[in-house]
Amino acid sequence: MWTFLRYLLLPFSLIYGSVIWLRNRLYDFQLLPARSFPIPTIVIGNLAVGGTGKSPMTEFVVSYLSKQYNVAILSRGYGRKTKGFRTVQIDSLAIDVGDEPLQFKNKFPNVTVAVCEDRCTGIEKLQEDHQLIILDDAYQHRKLSPQFNILLFDFRSFSQPMFVFPAGNFRDLLMESKRAQIIVITKCPTNISSADKIRIEKKLRHYNREAPITFSYISYFEPVNGDGIHIDIENKDIVLVTGIAKPQPMVDHVTQKAKSVSHISFGDHHTFGEADIDRIIKTYQSLDSDNKIVLTTEKDYQRLKPYKALFDTIELVHLPIGLSFNDVRQNNQFCNILSDTVALSVNQP
């Protein structure tokens, strides 16, 4: 939502944007060094701050390519309290490796997942034992020159001014979309109109005339508990706990199915403490219902797991999500481009 205060911050956005523009030009003109590697590297990123669906896209790409190649996922591990290179294990703690890498490892136990704030250092450690490295949220990591960039935009971001910090929600300039090899508009309505597609494509074509532009939406799967058992949320009274950047689509989805929803919202990558758990439990206990659960996101579940004992008899359920393209043609186009790019890189002498 745009307010008068945001417009007052525009001069500061101009300063921030100028610094970002200069930094990018220094890399473009090779005045600052960027490294490339012989192993294929695919970067998944965005220009805005969170909430564009990088995790579902990472999982989509990993699910598709790990059938053909020995894949590693490399992430910064946002929100962790550790530094340096670490390999993620299924029993790792989110505080040590980050919630999203831990989510990836639990979904793909046979895929190597690692965290390192310096992506080049991470690639150095992973490249010998893998055929392909997928980097989550590394579009602004200009020290790396990847083979392929997948750039994501939230559909709703095109309905408001696309300014950088602090007036807007973008951390990079829209012109930097020129570096993408494919652009995916995420969180679209399933019935997105041709007019909306044309409007978005027209805006992006000012900066990138060649990259295919595809449209996708979030798919919600059956909620599951800690034992992997599906839990029906129809007509249940739900305490919904979110610590993500843009929870409203999930709130809307759950509200359509549940009898009632009590939403407790925390900031993105929130580090839960006992006071937060106490608040969740008290909200649950305040519901006058015999058919109630605590429901959270996959990402938040990774950070809540260490507190499961405090929930006692309360069932903690999480809602898996995925990415789907708006039509089969775009799904096939995206997968074919990935296959061709990786195959070409892998087969290079």
Side-chain angles (χ1 to χ4, degrees), residues 13 16-25 45-49 138-142 151 153 162-165 168-179:
S13 289
Y16 174 84
S18 298
V19 173
I20 294 299
W21 179 89
L22 178 60
R23 176 180 180 269
N24 280 311
R25 299 296 76 73
N46 58 5
L47 302 181
V49 183
Y139 200 79
Q140 283 73 39
H141 199 80
R142 295 299 306 270
L151 181 61
F153 286 92
M162 301 173 89
F163 295 146
V164 296
F165 283 141
N169 297 323
F170 277 66
R171 54 179 166 171
D172 212 338
L173 300 168
L174 193 55
M175 65 181 293
E176 295 309 315
S177 60
K178 67 183 180 182
R179 294 188 279 115

Side-chain angles (χ1 to χ4, degrees), residues 127-138:
Q127 62 180 344
E128 185 175 341
D129 299 320
H130 300 87
Q131 295 174 289
L132 166 67
I133 298 176
I134 297 168
L135 297 104
D136 171 50
D137 195 15

Side-chain angles (χ1 to χ4, degrees), residues 89-91 101-109 302 305:
Q89 308 298 330
I90 290 178
D91 59 354
L102 187 55
Q103 176 181 315
F104 298 151
K105 186 62 182 178
N106 277 271
K107 277 198 171 181
F108 305 100
Q302 308 305 322
K305 276 195 297 186

Side-chain angles (χ1 to χ4, degrees), residues 78-121:
Y78 187 86
R80 65 185 175 122
K81 302 302 181 182
T82 59
K83 293 186 179 295
F85 180 88
R86 294 176 75 99
T87 302
V88 182
Q89 308 298 330
I90 290 178
D91 59 354
S92 295
L93 296 176
I95 197 170
D96 294 325
V97 299
D99 48 19
E100 289 163 342
L102 187 55
Q103 176 181 315
F104 298 151
K105 186 62 182 178
N106 277 271
K107 277 198 171 181
F108 305 100
N110 296 322
V111 170
T112 299
V113 181
V115 294
C116 191
E117 57 271 26
D118 187 322
R119 305 307 205 285
C120 293
T121 298

Side-chain angles (χ1 to χ4, degrees), residues 232-265:
D232 186 5
I233 63 172
E234 292 280 350
N235 298 316
K236 278 187 169 60
D237 295 292
I238 292 175
V239 177
L240 178 61
V241 179
T242 63
I244 55 178
K246 298 175 182 177
Q248 194 57 49
M250 183 175 179
V251 175
D252 294 341
H253 172 79
V254 174
T255 300
Q256 290 173 6
K257 294 181 174 293
K259 181 180 178 182
S260 70
V261 177
S262 300
H263 183 205
I264 303 177
S265 180

